[in-house]
Short mmCIF file of all heavy atoms in Angstrom, two decimals:
data_model
loop_
_atom_site.label_atom_id
_atom_site.label_comp_id
_atom_site.label_asym_id
_atom_site.label_seq_id
_atom_site.Cartn_x
_atom_site.Cartn_y
_atom_site.Cartn_z
N GLY A 41 12.07 20.57 -15.23
CA GLY A 41 12.00 21.95 -15.64
C GLY A 41 11.10 22.73 -14.70
O GLY A 41 10.67 22.23 -13.66
N PRO A 81 2.97 34.24 -0.01
CA PRO A 81 4.14 33.41 -0.31
C PRO A 81 4.20 32.15 0.55
O PRO A 81 3.90 32.18 1.75
CB PRO A 81 5.33 34.32 -0.01
CG PRO A 81 4.79 35.70 -0.05
CD PRO A 81 3.36 35.59 0.40
N GLU A 82 4.54 31.06 -0.11
CA GLU A 82 4.72 29.78 0.58
C GLU A 82 5.63 28.92 -0.28
O GLU A 82 5.61 29.02 -1.50
CB GLU A 82 3.37 29.09 0.75
CG GLU A 82 3.45 27.73 1.41
CD GLU A 82 2.08 27.07 1.50
OE1 GLU A 82 1.68 26.43 0.51
OE2 GLU A 82 1.43 27.23 2.54
N LEU A 91 9.88 16.38 3.23
CA LEU A 91 8.98 17.44 2.80
C LEU A 91 9.18 18.62 3.74
O LEU A 91 9.09 18.48 4.96
CB LEU A 91 7.52 16.97 2.87
CG LEU A 91 6.47 18.00 2.48
CD1 LEU A 91 6.62 18.44 1.03
CD2 LEU A 91 5.08 17.45 2.74
N SER A 105 8.04 9.25 4.67
CA SER A 105 7.91 7.81 4.93
C SER A 105 7.21 7.54 6.25
O SER A 105 6.68 6.44 6.46
CB SER A 105 9.27 7.14 4.90
OG SER A 105 10.12 7.73 5.87
N SER A 119 5.94 10.39 -8.84
CA SER A 119 6.09 9.15 -9.60
C SER A 119 5.64 9.32 -11.04
O SER A 119 6.19 8.70 -11.94
CB SER A 119 5.32 8.01 -8.93
OG SER A 119 5.86 7.76 -7.65
N GLU A 149 -6.83 6.21 -8.91
CA GLU A 149 -7.78 5.96 -7.83
C GLU A 149 -7.04 5.27 -6.70
O GLU A 149 -6.43 4.22 -6.91
CB GLU A 149 -8.94 5.11 -8.33
CG GLU A 149 -9.79 5.83 -9.36
CD GLU A 149 -10.94 4.99 -9.87
OE1 GLU A 149 -11.01 3.79 -9.53
OE2 GLU A 149 -11.77 5.54 -10.60
#
Side-chain angles (χ1 to χ4, degrees):
E82 178 182 85
L91 178 63
S105 58
S119 297
E149 294 180 352

